Amino acid sequence: MKGVILAAGKGERLRPLTDDRPKVILKVANRPIIDYVLENLDPFVDEFIVVVRYEKEKLIKALGDEFNGKPITYVEQLPGKGTAKAIESAKGSVGDEEFIAVNGDIYFEIDGVKELVSTFRKEKADAALLVKEFDDLSQFGKIEVEGNRVKAVLEKPGRVSGYANLGVYIFRPEVFEFIEKTPLSERGEYEITDTLNLMIEEGKTVVYAPYSGYWNDIGRPWNLLELNEYLLKTKLRHSIRGIVEEGATIVPPVEIGEGTVVRSGAYIIGPVKIGKNSRIGPNCFIRPYTSIGDNCHVGNAVEIKNSIIMDNSNAPHLNYVGDSIIGENSNLGAGTITANLRHDRGNVRVEIKGKLEDSGRHKLGAIIGHGVKIGINVSIYPGRKIGSGSFIGPGAIVDRNVPPKSLLIV
Ligand code: TTP
């Protein structure tokens, strides 16, 4: 069976982290999101087919041509938007047997795939989808079921409870006939959920497998922090491959990669993951649920908590980084601080595609893109985004979002 992974989307809600790259290669707990998908599909498939379009060269470079010894084939998405279009793009590559199709930007675990494959085979179904029960389905499509069959997929049913569609499917090649008949949706996309409804209307057997494990749909920046916290809490093993100087304190579990040096006076409370060839300390405080990538520098008098710092980025002197995400190749000037809490203690709101959204989080700091250079003593308000390639001059107060490649001087 082949595994088709949908990774052609623009990931606009994840700007600025997707300003110059597809979201599936963003690293969480120091691994690209798509790696977790590949790992969980691996036992069930003999080849991966990745559907690409937006910034595809970067994706292909990051992933290479095999995973665990199994080939990865890339196919370009056909013209048009949407998950049905993305799946249709794999038509020439899946052969004549059933295949798994998965959104490349979700995190789920192997039990879900096991359950889905066994339900599909037991029921000799035409299609199967993975579902999970939620109290509030306003962000999801609702799966209406009767017995072991899916009756309908309803878009945005509002604040009702029930099964949500998780974006993991098994199809037979006949799905392509139904995709061809799938109309454009109201939001201008060809959606695989509409294809499923067509299949059901025509009497095809569409079944579902309930999943009770952890699942996260990485749509918005704070989903990266949630996933990072989950992975560090549940998967991290204490392992020190780098050098820890005398006088540094490490409270397990902490993973420190080869070539990384932790200098005296550093105080690290796990779970914390640090990549290779990074320089940590002296005299810094790294608190739980922090991932720091390769070739990073966290210097003197710096405190970091609950944050993601991607490869080649630095918080070198007198910085506070809380509940924040810093992309690759970015640098904080001395004394630059991220605020992560509103004075009124309300949830932090973030502008997503031009609209303010409640993150549902009490604490959320800055979302800083790639290649951002920030001067000394910059203060960044909670939930503010700094676009990739921007330069923020010394002493600036970042109280609104900064577009990519801008110059902000006070
Ligand atoms: P979405 O999260 O709906 O779309 P997106 O990734 O473009 O993000 P945004 O809405 O923030 O711009 O996509 C769900 C999955 O389907 C995701 O894995 C990307 C993939 N996809 C494609 O492969 N092709 C497409 O045309 C679309 C819209 C999505």
Side-chain angles (χ1 to χ4, degrees):
M1 178 156 63
K2 306 226 183 325
V4 176
I5 297 153
L6 315 185
K10 277 191 168 171
E12 286 182 79
R13 293 164 300 155
L14 259 183
R15 296 278 161 95
L17 299 161
T18 49
D19 281 340
D20 63 354
R21 64 197 68 196
K23 75 169 135 182
V24 300
I25 64 167
L26 294 175
K27 290 185 180 175
V28 178
N30 297 354
R31 286 182 76 189
I33 296 167
I34 196 168
D35 254 30
Y36 301 107
V37 176
L38 295 171
E39 193 170 79
N40 286 318
L41 291 188
D42 184 42
F44 307 93
V45 306
D46 47 34
E47 182 181 347
F48 298 101
I49 295 154
V50 182
V51 182
V52 296
R53 180 157 68 197
Y54 177 68
E55 295 287 353
K56 65 176 177 186
E57 292 79 13
K58 288 187 180 147
L59 203 162
I60 295 169
K61 186 165 175 230
L63 220 56
D65 54 12
E66 59 151 54
F67 182 86
N68 256 352
K70 291 182 187 163
I72 301 177
T73 304
Y74 296 94
V75 295
E76 173 99 23
Q77 180 164 324
L78 296 166
K81 260 187 97 178
T83 44
K85 259 300 157 218
I87 293 174
E88 190 182 9
S89 314
K91 187 174 171 181
S93 314
V94 292
D96 51 11
E97 53 173 22
E98 73 251 29
F99 63 93
I100 303 184
V102 181
N103 291 357
D105 59 348
I106 55 173
Y107 179 90
F108 57 97
E109 288 177 349
I110 196 161
D111 297 353
V113 198
K114 254 187 218 156
E115 206 48 49
L116 188 70
V117 171
S118 98
T119 306
F120 178 84
R121 292 195 171 142
K122 197 170 72 206
E123 305 288 337
K124 297 191 169 55
D126 297 306
L129 57 158
L130 199 64
V131 301
K132 183 172 169 69
E133 208 160 359
F134 285 93
D135 290 338
D136 175 6
L137 291 178
S138 44
Q139 294 292 326
F140 306 103
K142 180 177 184 188
I143 305 299
E144 294 240 289
V145 301
E146 192 174 270
N148 53 8
R149 300 278 183 100
V150 175
K151 266 182 59 192
V153 185
L154 308 178
E155 267 315 307
K156 298 259 154 72
R159 278 184 170 267
V160 295
S161 62
Y163 285 134
N165 174 20
L166 300 191
V168 187
Y169 314 90
I170 302 183
F171 293 112
R172 298 184 190 279
E174 68 171 353
V175 71
F176 299 120
E177 293 162 32
F178 291 90
I179 289 178
E180 273 172 32
K181 291 189 265 180
T182 302
L184 205 59
S185 70
E186 267 178 26
R187 61 170 179 169
E189 295 189 9
Y190 296 96
E191 324 242 7
I192 199 64
T193 45
D194 289 337
T195 310
L196 284 162
N197 282 327
L198 284 181
M199 292 178 76
I200 295 162
E201 276 164 29
E202 294 204 17
K204 295 291 171 189
T205 309
V206 179
V207 297
Y208 64 97
Y211 169 65
S212 54
Y214 182 81
W215 174 82
N216 203 323
D217 179 11
I218 316 294
R220 295 164 175 82
W222 55 89
N223 298 133
L224 296 168
L225 292 177
E226 291 162 3
L227 179 59
N228 187 56
E229 180 172 341
Y230 171 79
L231 290 170
L232 296 188
K233 196 182 275 176
T234 60
K235 315 282 179 209
L236 191 77
R237 298 238 189 97
H238 187 69
S239 139
I240 311 282
R241 297 225 170 91
I243 296 165
V244 177
E245 282 184 6
E246 205 175 313
T249 304
I250 308 275
V251 181
V254 174
E255 190 184 301
I256 295 175
E258 268 167 45
T260 287
V261 180
V262 179
R263 299 204 189 287
S264 184
Y267 199 105
I268 305 178
I269 305 178
V272 164
K273 185 164 180 169
I274 303 171
K276 295 182 200 151
N277 303 317
S278 286
R279 291 175 293 141
I280 309 296
N283 307 318
C284 62
F285 185 23
I286 304 179
R287 294 165 52 194
Y289 311 121
T290 296
S291 291
I292 297 168
D294 298 340
N295 308 307
C296 293
H297 178 204
V298 173
N300 180 56
V302 173
E303 178 174 346
I304 305 180
K305 68 153 286 229
N306 213 345
S307 291
I308 298 174
I309 299 187
M310 299 186 190
D311 298 339
N312 309 310
S313 287
N314 307 319
H317 329 269
L318 302 144
N319 305 115
Y320 174 71
V321 179
D323 305 275
S324 295
I325 304 171
I326 302 179
E328 287 182 10
N329 299 307
S330 289
N331 193 70
L332 305 186
T336 283
I337 300 288
T338 65
N340 60 342
L341 182 67
R342 287 163 53 129
H343 284 310
D344 64 4
R345 308 260 152 174
N347 286 348
V348 176
R349 293 186 299 165
V350 181
E351 194 184 304
I352 304 286
K353 286 178 91 174
K355 275 202 205 133
L356 263 189
E357 280 194 25
D358 182 347
S359 69
R361 293 173 71 96
H362 219 45
K363 290 200 174 169
L364 181 62
I367 302 135
I368 297 172
H370 312 285
V372 174
K373 304 295 169 223
I374 301 183
I376 58 160
N377 285 331
V378 171
S379 304
I380 311 170
Y381 274 38
R384 298 309 190 270
K385 304 196 272 191
I386 301 181
S388 298
S390 290
F391 174 81
I392 311 292
I397 294 177
V398 180
D399 58 357
R400 63 202 64 197
N401 295 327
V402 177
K405 297 187 179 148
S406 332
L407 191 61
L408 182 73
I409 306 277
V410 286

